[in-house]
Structure formats: structure tokens, C-alpha cells
Amino acid sequence: MSHPPLPPLQSDPAPGQLPSAQRARITAATRTPEPDAVAVLLTRATLPPAHEAEAERLAHRLAETLRAKGTSGPVESLMAEYALSSAEGVALMCLAEALLRIPDGRTRDALIRDKIGGGDWQAHVGHSPSLFVNAATWGLVVTGRLTSAASEQTLSAALVRMIRKGGETLLRRGVEAAMRLLGEQFVLGQTIEEALANSRKLEARGFRHSYDMLGEAAVTDGDAQRYFRDYAHAIDAIGGAANRRGVRDGAGISVKLSALHPRYCRAQRERVMSELWPRLLALAQQARRYDIGLNIDAEESDRLELSLDLLEMLCADPTLAGWDGIGFVVQAYQKRAIFVVEHLIGLARRSGRRLMVRLVKGAYWDTEIKRAQVDGLDDAPVFTRKTHTDISYLACARALLDAKDAVFPQFATHNAHTLAAVYRMAGDDFQPGHYEFQCLHGMGEKLYEEVVGPDRLNRPCRIYAPVGSHETLLAYLVRRLLENGANSSFVNRINDPAIGLASLVRHPVAHVKARNPGLLPHRGIRHPLALFEPARRNARGFDLADETALAELAHALRASDGRLWRASPAGNADGPWRDIRNPADPADRVGEVRDAMPEDVAAAIARAEAARSEWGRTPADIRAAYLLRAADAMEECRLDLVGLIAREAGRTLPNAISEIREAVDFLRYYAAESRDRGCSETPLGPVACISPWNFPLAIFTGQIAAALATGNPVLAKPAEETQLIAAEAVRILHAAGIPRDALQLLPGSGETGALLVADPRIA
């Protein structure tokens, strides 16, 4: 085997899969530019003028009622006072996200000093009518003074240390208690039995529930086994309490697949199918026995297609035939959401069952944006504007409502206009089982009090109800605080009296046509490849969860099998050659190398000495242009480089891709630095670059790029384990315009490096 194997591609479906052209559209939509993706959705999201006016009137009434109820809860009061657009709000968010997972008190205290010491907490005293907020504010005022005192010279160091120690410890305990208090607003119970008991009051008023056992992203198989037992126990409890009311009228359960397997990712597809699939099937069979719904919850976008594979296997399993309790969550902020909805509708019809489809806006938006930027993806998988997500939601809602024979639509939203638009879109001929609304426990009940019941809109609402201890709450709590506190969130804006209701309930299509007719992405959010602009372009990455990209990579790797690479000293290919073997597969002959002899080293140094004046006088912008050309060329042939790095260095495919990206980034970084600074300093002269084997392309290229950018001729001596990779990098640089005497390769053992280091001509 010449390189690490790839998991089976979607072109080779596993048993039970129902492949279709729609899946290809789902994959491609991730890379679709945002304006093109929104344009596809605009027509579907647009209501007839009369219906749009009716929806806005209903939304205005709902929003007016909701605002009149006020911010009575502690969470609403806290987020209204400390918006995430303020420095203090950001500080609180940082604490909420980080404090409870820091293992030691000393580091927690350091975080408190950092995030609270500089806040203008006194400005918030007395502003909120909430006793909870004012009490918290006074604590922040006092402790903020104490922690900032560390930099004041008026107190003795000993006194500062004593006060700070006591104040921070007390605050740490107070913040931990506050986080628990906040958590109680979002969790229905610490156990499923407690949650079922607490749900009776709302169920008596017409609400339903879908329970979520908190716990996600299992780290070990022990974690996954524990979560599986928790789900199984919850299904028994929910099923017993449901008393066979059915998946529409009774309670259900939501399952996170990442909680059922510690390696729930595309790279581990075979393992997921052999280990996670039996657990998921067992839970589905158990839920079927009670006739309660089981919903596959949404997670990060790189797991979507793996989740779809498992969903298709559930739909094809004969033990679940005739049961309509299988559900799936679609996130409208993904650019491929509409294609996922269409795929689910087709899957339901092909499998002869009515799928439950929960449509949500999406909960991992900031993570998706940052991951795309860090990984250098072709584009972010999500919309960057809130209005674009709202348009996507309404387009998906229309598709679901038009296919009520195949799916049971479940519209999860806290936005009054979205609710009203869906209500109007669905029409007046409602029958039980046509669709339902959904909301989060602790966030949406006030709005849906105006929806549920014959004296209201008389539409059902299901509450998504998390269940778990404080120890399992943190990740979920942070997402809810972000949703409450984001300045674009309806939940946040409805509590701000400065924002007029008319702007809150405006149809997103009308908003976009008036404010952003070009459908442009948010200008404050960098495109992944423009992350470092104007200085330089980000190194292009490779999405290893993208089936099309994986197929392209697999083809390139197969083509690279058997290819022989060569490396020899600059200007001399004569002499004995030795084989280079794949360290992961000694039978794979990757290429051959001719090591430099002492006379090769001496001749190369002499050529570098002769080239130093001309290369040093080359203008900095010309040298930079050569490096930029090499960076582009390296990206262009990256698939060939992946195969070479995997074969010669034994690196995994993700590491090989990262290696190439880092090398490209080095080239562009040093090009930008030399171009912008002008590099007016006199070059040093010949520079020896000796690189290690563990970063065979990145460090090798980075050293060379820095020396070349500053006008120095380079003698490059790579680690003897990875000389073929180095030779290819040098070939790319030569082809980009770097003179051959300004960059010379000297493969060989440590003795070659010693000769370079010892020579007095090396600057």
C-alpha cells in the first residue's frame, strides 16, 4: 500500500444507502457562492403581497404581546443589560464559555482577573429592574476593583495579593453558582424522571416535548456507552409516560450521533458504520416499540452527509418498516439546506414512510465560519447574513409544506415573523398532523403561549427540552447564551425597546431587496481565502468531508502509485543512486536519491558565492513575485504533493494537506514582508538551510523563502529521510523564476550538513 487508504466513497454506497443525484447537489452546494445560493431561494421564500401583509400583521401582534410581557426571567434580564456588543457582555460570555471547564482554581482566578478587571461594571448598577442582575453587577463592581488593583501602585503588594486571592476565589464560586442558575433556565430536569414530572404543567396546556439527553461529542468509547445507556433509559421512561399516544401527539427523543461514537467523522466512516450503526438501530427499534419519535439531531456541517447515510440505513431497515417515528434536523443557515430538504422528501417517498423533519435556523454558525477560514476552504458552508438564513428557512418551509404527504414538518423558531410567515404559508385548512411548531425550553414558551390552544392560533408546539446535570450543560448553555445575546437575534432584539416592531417583523425578502439587492455576503466576515488580505491570500485547504473532493483526491493518489521521484545535488546527477522506500509500506519504492559528495558541496558554495551579487541586487518586488508564483504552483500541484508526502514521509492525508498549506503560507508571507518592507538591508550572503524530517515541506520551504526573500543565495540540505519532497519543492521554485545558482539542493547525510556549517563562506 503506497499511501493511507481513503474510506469508501459515496460512489460505492454501503448497504441500505439510497444514492441519488440529489446527494451530489447537497455536496456541491457547500461551495456555492452566497449570492448564487440566496438567488435560488428568493422565489420560494416570497409570499404573495396579500399573504405577506397578513403575515406581518400577525407577526406585529405577536411581537407586541411578547414585548408587553417584558424581560421577567433572569436570563433575559441579564442579556438585556449585558449585550454581546458591549465589552462587559463579551467578558461575561468568555467566562460562561471557559470558566467551568478550567480544571484548577488558580487558572480560573487568572481568567477572572483578565476578563473582569477592566470592565466598567459600575455603569450598569441600578439600570436593570432585576434583582438578579443588580446583585450580580454589585459583585462585579467590587471584584472588578479588587482584581484591577493588581496594577495599582497605591497599595502594598502584600495587601493586593491578599485581597485579590480572597476576592477572586469568592467570585469564582459566585460565577459557578450563577452558571448553574442560568443552566436551570434551559434544562427541564437533571434526570428524565424529573423532566417528565416538570413537563406535565405545560402538556396540560397543549404543549408536547422532545427530550434531549445532554452530552455530546463523546471522547472515549466509555462515554459513548454511557450516553447510549442514558438514551435507552430515557426512551423507556418517555415511552412509558407517552402511553402510546403516537409520534405526533406524544413525546419523543432527540439523539446526537456524536454522543454515540467517539470518532463520529467522515474519516472514520467504516468504523462508524460498524460500531455506531448498531447502537442507533437498537435505539430506533426501542422507540418503535413505544411508538415515540426519534429525531437525529443536527451537528456541524462536516458531519451532515455521514448523518444522512445513517438516516438512509434506518429508512431501509426492514425491522422499522411501517413506522413513521424517524426524524431528521435540517439547519437553514447551511447553503445546502434546500437540497437536503428535497433529498429527505425523496427519501421518504422511496422508503414508503413519512419522515419527521425539524427545520431550525442553526446553532454552530460561528464555529462553521471560523473552521472554513482556518481550513482555507473554498467558501463557508453557511450564510453570513441573518436575513439570508431567514430566507433559506422560509424557502425550506414552503418545500416541506408542499410535501406533507411525505414529511411531517416541524418548524423550530423563536422569531415572530418566521412563525407568522409559516402560519400564513400553510393556509387555513389545518388538520392535526399537518405540521407543528417547536421551541427551546427556557426561550420560546412566552411566544408560543399565543399560538397553542383553541383560543389562540390553535397550532401545536413541541418544546425541545434538554435533560442533564450541570456537568453536562456547558456546551449547550453557551449556545443558548449566544443565541439570546447576539445583536441580530430576534430573542435579543424583542427585549430592546429602542428597536421598532416594524423592523422586527419585516419580511426578510423585502429587507434584502431594499438593503442588499446584490445578495452580497456580510462584508465584515472574511471569505476563507481572503482571511489575511490585503497582505496575502490564505493557503487553499481541502475539505476531507466533501465527497467530490475525496473522489478527486482518491483519483490523484491512485495515479501517483508507482510514480518514481528523483533527487540529486545541484548540477550533478552522476554517481551511485540509492532507493527511497515508503516507511509505512517498505515494498513501495518511492524514488531514488544521489547524495552530495564533498566536491558537490564545495562547488555549490562557489556557485552561491558567485551568484550573491546578482541575486542580492534583484529588486525585492521581483524576488517576491517569484515566491508568489511558486506558492500558486505549489497549490496547483498539491494533489501530487499529497501523494509524495504520504509515501516518503509516512504522513497522514490531513497532515500532508496541512504541510502543503503551511509551505504555501510561508512563501506568501515572506513575499509580502519583503515587498512591503523593501528589504533595504544588505544581504548576508550564502545561507545554509538544514531542515528536519518531521515537517519535510513546510519548514524546508519556510527557511528557504525567508533567505531568498531577503536577497540571499541558498544551499538547501533536507533531512535524509525526506529528500524527494525537498527536491520537488526546489523544482517548483526554479520553475517559478528563482535562479538555479541562487537555490541549490544538496541531499545527503548529516556529514553534508556538517560540511556546510564548517565552511567560512556560509554567511
Side-chain angles (χ1 to χ4, degrees):
M1 181 177 64
S2 58
H3 48 69
L6 286 172
L9 299 171
Q10 289 297 340
S11 56
D12 304 314
Q17 284 186 294
L18 302 171
S20 67
Q22 189 63 47
R23 287 293 294 272
R25 297 175 70 190
I26 291 172
T27 297
T30 304
R31 300 184 299 275
T32 303
E34 190 162 339
D36 296 345
V38 181
V40 169
L41 304 169
L42 275 174
T43 301
R44 293 195 187 190
T46 301
L47 294 173
H51 288 182
E52 182 177 327
E54 291 176 21
E56 288 195 7
R57 283 195 295 272
L58 174 58
H60 193 284
R61 177 167 64 82
L62 291 171
E64 190 173 41
T65 303
L66 193 58
R67 181 168 283 180
K69 293 181 180 181
T71 57
S72 58
V75 175
E76 292 90 343
S77 299
L78 189 71
M79 298 312 295
E81 179 64 26
Y82 295 110
L84 289 182
S85 55
S86 72
E88 291 76 27
V90 171
L92 281 179
M93 192 66 250
C94 289
L95 282 177
E97 182 178 21
L99 194 64
L100 296 186
R101 55 183 166 181
I102 295 175
D104 63 289
R106 183 177 180 181
T107 308
R108 292 186 189 185
D109 292 345
L111 180 72
I112 291 169
R113 271 199 307 280
D114 180 47
K115 297 302 178 186
I116 290 189
D120 185 13
W121 305 104
Q122 193 167 10
H124 295 274
V125 172
H127 283 193
S128 173
S130 166
L131 178 63
F132 173 87
V133 174
N134 281 325
T137 297
W138 276 113
L140 294 169
V141 167
V142 173
T143 314
R145 286 174 178 166
L146 292 176
T147 56
S148 62
S151 61
E152 295 174 7
Q153 301 302 314
T154 56
L155 296 175
S156 70
L159 182 60
V160 169
R161 283 196 300 270
M162 181 178 68
I163 294 175
R164 191 170 61 206
K165 181 179 179 182
E168 287 159 4
T169 302
L170 289 174
L171 179 63
R172 168 159 48 88
R173 292 173 179 169
V175 171
E176 289 168 356
M179 291 300 102
R180 291 175 185 270
L181 177 61
L182 288 172
E184 290 173 0
Q185 309 304 309
F186 296 114
V187 176
L188 189 58
Q190 293 201 46
T191 66
I192 187 62
E193 290 78 11
E194 182 182 342
L196 287 166
N198 292 338
S199 70
R200 290 172 190 150
K201 183 177 179 181
L202 281 172
E203 288 195 353
R205 294 164 55 187
F207 286 89
R208 308 162 180 175
H209 286 82
S210 179
Y211 297 95
D212 169 33
M213 307 307 295
L214 284 176
E216 50 192 291
V219 176
T220 67
D221 192 59
D223 292 339
Q225 295 283 3
R226 184 173 69 255
Y227 291 140
F228 174 78
R229 291 192 296 270
D230 289 346
Y231 281 132
H233 172 70
I235 290 173
D236 281 337
I238 296 165
N243 198 24
R244 304 201 68 80
R245 283 178 287 169
V247 297
R248 310 286 179 256
D249 298 324
I253 190 168
S254 295
V255 174
K256 278 191 171 58
L257 298 182
S258 62
L260 291 175
H261 199 277
R263 299 293 181 268
Y264 185 58
C265 60
R266 175 62 180 84
Q268 298 291 327
R269 187 181 187 280
E270 288 186 0
R271 185 176 166 193
V272 165
M273 293 305 168
S274 65
E275 297 174 8
L276 189 156
W277 162 245
R279 297 171 188 173
L280 177 61
L281 178 60
L283 294 176
Q285 291 168 336
Q286 183 184 2
R288 184 193 178 168
R289 288 196 294 272
Y290 289 108
D291 198 23
I292 66 172
L294 183 141
N295 225 301
I296 296 177
D297 229 333
E299 303 194 56
E300 295 85 352
S301 65
D302 59 337
R303 291 168 163 164
L304 172 62
E305 296 197 44
L306 195 55
S307 297
L308 287 172
D309 289 344
L310 289 161
L311 173 69
E312 292 178 355
M313 292 171 71
L314 283 178
C315 290
D317 193 276
T319 66
L320 303 176
W323 177 53
D324 291 340
I326 301 173
F328 197 81
V329 179
V330 177
Q331 297 166 309
Y333 68 12
Q334 288 198 26
K335 291 186 290 187
R336 50 188 171 171
I338 187 65
F339 302 116
V340 175
V341 165
E342 291 175 354
H343 175 70
L344 295 177
I345 292 169
L347 173 62
R349 287 177 174 150
R350 289 194 302 272
S351 61
R353 68 176 74 245
R354 192 178 182 218
L355 286 176
M356 302 182 296
V357 180
R358 177 191 297 158
L359 184 63
V360 303
K361 297 289 177 74
Y364 303 93
W365 180 84
D366 51 340
T367 301
E368 301 287 8
I369 294 288
K370 182 50 61 181
R371 173 183 169 267
Q373 291 175 334
V374 170
D375 290 349
L377 301 185
D378 290 338
D379 207 347
V382 296
F383 295 109
T384 58
R385 289 187 182 271
K386 178 67 165 60
T387 49
H388 293 175
T389 292
D390 292 339
I391 288 170
S392 173
Y393 191 100
L394 293 179
C396 291
R398 180 181 294 280
L400 291 170
L401 289 168
D402 287 345
K404 293 195 297 290
D405 62 307
V407 296
F408 176 47
Q410 300 169 315
F411 300 111
T413 179
H414 303 133
N415 185 309
H417 180 271
T418 304
L419 187 159
V422 169
Y423 176 84
R424 185 61 271 162
M425 199 182 288
D428 298 324
D429 60 339
F430 175 80
Q431 296 294 326
H434 275 187
Y435 68 93
E436 69 180 19
F437 289 107
Q438 293 194 358
C439 70
L440 291 169
H441 170 71
M443 287 181 63
E445 290 93 336
K446 289 182 182 178
L447 173 61
Y448 283 97
E449 286 171 356
E450 308 305 314
V451 174
V452 175
D455 56 337
R456 297 292 191 264
L457 296 182
N458 201 27
R459 298 295 185 268
C461 176
R462 187 180 303 274
I463 299 172
Y464 182 89
V467 180
S469 65
H470 296 297
E471 287 71 21
T472 60
L473 171 65
L474 183 62
Y476 180 82
L477 171 60
V478 168
R479 291 201 294 274
R480 297 292 75 80
L481 290 176
L482 283 169
E483 187 167 352
N484 275 275
N487 57 15
S488 62
S489 165
F490 179 87
V491 175
N492 179 286
R493 299 176 77 208
I494 191 64
N495 293 321
D496 186 352
I499 298 176
L501 292 180
S503 66
L504 273 178
V505 300
R506 191 178 190 187
H507 196 291
V509 171
H511 178 89
V512 165
K513 287 181 177 178
R515 300 285 298 275
N516 183 25
L519 311 178
L520 299 177
H522 198 293
R523 63 176 177 270
I525 299 171
R526 297 282 183 115
H527 185 281
L529 298 181
L531 184 59
F532 303 118
E533 290 183 352
R536 67 187 190 278
R537 192 165 80 250
N538 191 12
R540 187 181 176 203
F542 205 93
D543 189 351
L544 290 173
D546 184 314
E547 297 298 333
T548 302
L550 285 174
E552 182 185 8
L553 178 58
H555 177 76
L557 291 176
R558 283 192 289 267
S560 75
D561 283 354
R563 177 176 176 178
L564 292 178
W565 304 78
R566 303 188 94 197
S568 62
N572 189 357
D574 297 329
W577 293 79
R578 60 183 176 87
D579 285 348
I580 298 296
R581 300 280 175 174
N582 183 340
D585 181 10
D588 176 26
R589 180 170 173 256
V590 185
E592 54 187 13
V593 171
R594 191 185 88 71
D595 292 331
M597 298 291 104
E599 56 270 25
D600 295 320
V601 176
I605 296 174
R607 286 193 296 271
E609 272 280 281
R612 65 181 297 178
S613 296
E614 183 177 353
W615 181 243
R617 288 196 304 268
T618 302
D621 59 339
I622 299 298
R623 297 195 299 258
Y626 292 154
L627 296 180
L628 291 174
R629 195 180 300 164
D632 292 345
M634 200 171 281
E635 277 192 340
E636 191 68 27
C637 66
R638 60 193 180 135
L639 294 181
D640 290 335
L641 286 171
V642 167
L644 173 58
I645 293 169
R647 290 175 68 199
E648 186 184 23
R651 304 209 75 175
T652 64
L653 299 180
N655 281 344
I657 291 165
S658 297
E659 183 84 17
I660 297 165
R661 293 192 64 223
E662 188 173 354
V664 168
D665 202 47
F666 271 134
L667 290 166
R668 289 180 179 151
Y669 173 79
Y670 286 119
E673 288 289 295
S674 64
R675 182 188 57 215
D676 296 342
R677 296 173 185 266
C679 289
S680 58
E681 296 83 0
T682 302
L684 297 172
V687 171
C689 292
I690 303 176
S691 57
W693 64 267
N694 56 324
F695 287 91
L697 182 65
I699 292 181
F700 178 81
T701 303
Q703 292 176 311
I704 292 171
L708 290 174
T710 47
N712 300 288
V714 172
L715 299 115
K717 192 276 173 193
E720 57 186 300
E721 296 88 352
T722 53
Q723 300 184 107
L724 299 175
I725 297 167
E728 183 61 11
V730 169
R731 186 199 65 77
I732 290 170
L733 284 158
H734 284 161
I738 303 294
R740 291 185 178 275
D741 287 348
L743 171 60
Q744 301 178 72
L745 179 71
L746 290 171
S749 66
E751 294 177 1
T752 303
L755 289 171
L756 284 170
V757 171
D759 195 295
R761 293 170 294 178
I762 296 298

